[in-house]
Amino acid sequence: MPTKTIIEPFRIKSVEPIRWTTREQREELLRAAHYNLFLLPADDVLIDLLTDSGTGAMSTHQWAAVMEGDESYAGSKSFERFRLSVQDIFGYQHVIPTHQGRAAERILFSVACKKGDVVPNNTHFDTTRANVEFVGAEAVDLPLPESRKPSTRLPFKGNMDVAGLEALIARVGRERVPLVMLTVTNNSGGGQPVSMENARAVSAVCRRHRIPLYFDACRFAENAYFIKLREGGYKSKTPKQIAQDMFSLGDGCTMSAKKDGMANIGGFLCTNDDVLARQEKDLLILTEGYPTYGGLAGRDLEAIAVGVQEALEEDYLRYRIASTAYLGNHLSDQGVPIVEPPGGHAIYLDARAFLSQIPLDQYPGVALAAELYLEGGIRSVEIGRLMFADAAKMDLVRLAIPRRVYTQSHIDYVVEMILRVWQRRQDIKGMRVTYEAPFLRHFTAHLEPVT
Ligand SMILES: Cc1ncc(COP(=O)(O)O)c(C=O)c1O
């Protein structure tokens, strides 16, 4: 009989202390950080849910592999192990290592796109959108229309709107669409999975129009596990078989190994296109490094080679998905508005519903994230108007859960602090921006409370 309690499937061998601060200290620290949690020193954060990117704990196997790192400039054994491990899962012909996901994006879009092109995606992540726009192309989000409502519960709320994709290609013309991207799981759309059925339908549209399909594969293992749990016909398949099936529908991918690569740094770009691969490697040499290391140390390649396989282990995925749902369910049971159903790597608070008294141009998401820090030293991130300006369809606060880092009692504490903020939500004020950079402004913006 399956057990009711799902435990962390690991023992803790090395610990990292975290530091308490007082409410008065946090008020001062937040003022000094201009109410932008990116600008806080990490040492002043108790529970850091800013991102699940690069913040995971590596396994003993990964650390052992790190010691096997071959730091040869060209043709290292570590690259071979990395390439074989990635190809085993992703199946693409060319594997190009990069220092992280956005480097893979920059290289792909620089080579494949030009001014005036249009790139459809279920939902672009912020760096993906910025890299598309940086080469003068237009980034178009095509989520399911019903997914825009945070409270709607759908098993595959991350799916792409296939009819919308067809209509877009018909409107702008196939020549202006150099590639289609599918982000698994759909991070900006609430960490929601994409079904195999949807990936198959998107792939069929792409094949019909002879447009390459690329996956933004950051959370491919979590997505595969959701398919196993929720989609008919996949119960008896392993997450690895499911991932392999999904990638066989595409022509390449970009990947940040800081997520389901279970590594602290790294990424890669894959393609089946020989001509594109040559151009991509040339650009890689210019800005990242030689194609057998691509801006990474041999030891990083080793950690990723082990990590992508560990991310697909069922014990790990069962715990990962259950612990994220644990946080989400404890909040929604008390009436806290979250994006439903809980996603894979994060819980998203619906800041518009949480702080309904705050006008949208006063950044309810930023105000809520600031309050979570003041209340309990918790760092989260706004995904809304500050991040996407007028393109924002929702104002969310993401509580991203680092992999294999926090235990259930940490999460219980987070729930307690959020419920305290929920009790006094009526007293919370909006924010105004006092400084912003020309792009990706949320990383460095300064804000202040509206009095
Ligand atoms: C869906 C998605 N794509 C791309 C990226 C960019 O990856 P990186 O931060 O490694 O550059 C991220 C990072 O959070 C992401 O979540």
Side-chain angles (χ1 to χ4, degrees), residues 64-203:
V66 160
M67 293 307 293
E68 297 279 350
D70 173 358
E71 305 303 342
S72 304
Y73 189 94
S76 78
K77 288 196 294 285
S78 298
F79 175 72
E80 267 317 284
R81 282 193 279 265
F82 164 82
R83 184 179 66 80
L84 290 172
S85 180
V86 170
Q87 279 179 333
D88 173 44
I89 300 163
F90 293 74
Y92 300 121
Q93 222 169 320
H94 301 277
V95 181
I96 300 170
T98 59
H99 79 273
Q100 60 183 87
R102 67 198 68 185
E105 291 167 356
R106 190 188 63 81
I107 290 172
L108 173 64
F109 299 133
S110 301
V111 168
C113 302
K114 59 183 184 317
K115 199 167 182 305
D117 282 348
V118 176
V119 178
N121 197 324
N122 42 350
T123 313
H124 288 84
F125 186 65
D126 60 353
T127 60
T128 324
R129 169 173 289 279
N131 274 299
V132 169
E133 291 173 352
F134 196 68
V135 298
E138 187 189 348
V140 177
D141 289 343
L142 295 171
L144 292 182
E146 56 270 40
S147 72
R148 296 203 195 275
K149 200 162 159 227
S151 58
T152 307
R153 289 186 78 97
L154 296 172
F156 292 102
K157 210 175 170 184
N159 282 354
M160 180 179 270
D161 173 5
V162 181
L165 176 64
E166 288 273 27
L168 179 76
I169 296 169
R171 182 166 60 79
V172 305
R174 181 254 163 270
E175 309 69 42
R176 284 181 60 202
V177 185
L179 60 106
V180 171
M181 283 205 98
L182 200 54
T183 304
V184 294
T185 58
N186 190 341
N187 182 2
S188 307
Q192 301 291 329
V194 173
S195 70
M196 191 71 81
E197 188 187 13
N198 186 251
R200 221 176 267 126
V202 170
S203 174

Side-chain angles (χ1 to χ4, degrees), residues 141-423:
D141 289 343
L142 295 171
L144 292 182
E146 56 270 40
S147 72
R148 296 203 195 275
K149 200 162 159 227
S151 58
T152 307
R153 289 186 78 97
L154 296 172
F156 292 102
K157 210 175 170 184
N159 282 354
M160 180 179 270
D161 173 5
V162 181
L165 176 64
E166 288 273 27
L168 179 76
I169 296 169
R171 182 166 60 79
V172 305
R174 181 254 163 270
E175 309 69 42
R176 284 181 60 202
V177 185
L179 60 106
V180 171
M181 283 205 98
L182 200 54
T183 304
V184 294
T185 58
N186 190 341
N187 182 2
S188 307
Q192 301 291 329
V194 173
S195 70
M196 191 71 81
E197 188 187 13
N198 186 251
R200 221 176 267 126
V202 170
S203 174
V205 172
C206 291
R207 296 272 185 270
R208 191 149 18 87
H209 293 280
R210 282 176 288 102
I211 299 172
L213 171 62
Y214 277 73
F215 289 94
D216 177 338
C218 294
R219 298 176 182 85
F220 72 96
E222 291 168 8
N223 202 89
Y225 195 65
F226 277 119
I227 289 175
K228 183 178 170 78
L229 293 180
R230 296 181 184 171
E231 193 164 351
Y234 290 96
K235 213 192 211 143
S236 59
K237 289 208 169 192
T238 64
K240 186 163 164 177
Q241 288 167 331
I242 296 170
Q244 288 165 333
D245 283 0
M246 180 164 272
F247 293 128
S248 72
L249 299 168
D251 303 282
C253 71
T254 57
M255 172 73 186
S256 169
K258 300 170 75 173
K259 284 83 170 176
D260 280 351
M262 309 291 260
N264 300 121
I265 194 68
F268 50 88
L269 169 59
C270 291
T271 181
N272 281 336
D273 184 324
D274 296 340
V275 177
L276 213 58
R278 186 169 297 157
Q279 293 171 315
E280 287 167 350
K281 285 179 197 172
D282 288 345
L283 193 53
L284 187 84
I285 292 172
L286 191 67
T287 58
E288 290 276 307
Y290 192 72
T292 60
Y293 73 87
L296 294 171
R299 63 182 81 102
D300 300 324
L301 296 169
E302 295 280 357
I304 298 166
V306 176
V308 285
Q309 301 287 344
E310 283 186 355
L312 288 164
E313 285 171 9
E314 277 200 56
D315 283 349
Y316 161 71
L317 283 169
R318 186 179 308 113
Y319 137 81
R320 172 76 175 155
I321 300 305
S323 53
T324 305
Y326 178 90
L327 171 59
N329 293 337
H330 277 75
L331 294 173
S332 57
D333 286 351
Q334 299 301 314
V336 176
I338 65 165
V339 174
E340 299 278 9
H345 68 292
I347 291 301
Y348 295 68
L349 303 176
D350 177 2
R352 287 187 192 177
F354 198 116
L355 299 176
S356 53
Q357 76 279 16
I358 298 184
L360 298 189
D361 61 358
Q362 290 182 15
Y363 306 99
V366 180
L368 180 53
E371 288 301 324
L372 300 184
Y373 178 69
L374 287 176
E375 190 67 47
I378 299 162
R379 178 153 68 171
S380 54
V381 65
E382 186 251 22
I383 298 196
R385 204 180 172 83
L386 185 65
M387 189 178 273
F388 294 121
D390 291 338
K393 301 288 184 298
M394 298 185 258
D395 281 277
L396 307 175
V397 171
R398 186 184 71 179
L399 306 157
I401 307 180
R403 292 166 180 77
R404 305 188 289 207
V405 170
Y406 293 117
T407 63
Q408 188 169 330
S409 61
H410 290 114
I411 300 299
D412 287 336
Y413 170 85
V414 171
V415 171
E416 185 182 334
M417 293 303 111
I418 293 173
L419 292 180
R420 277 204 212 166
V421 175
W422 176 242
Q423 294 310 323

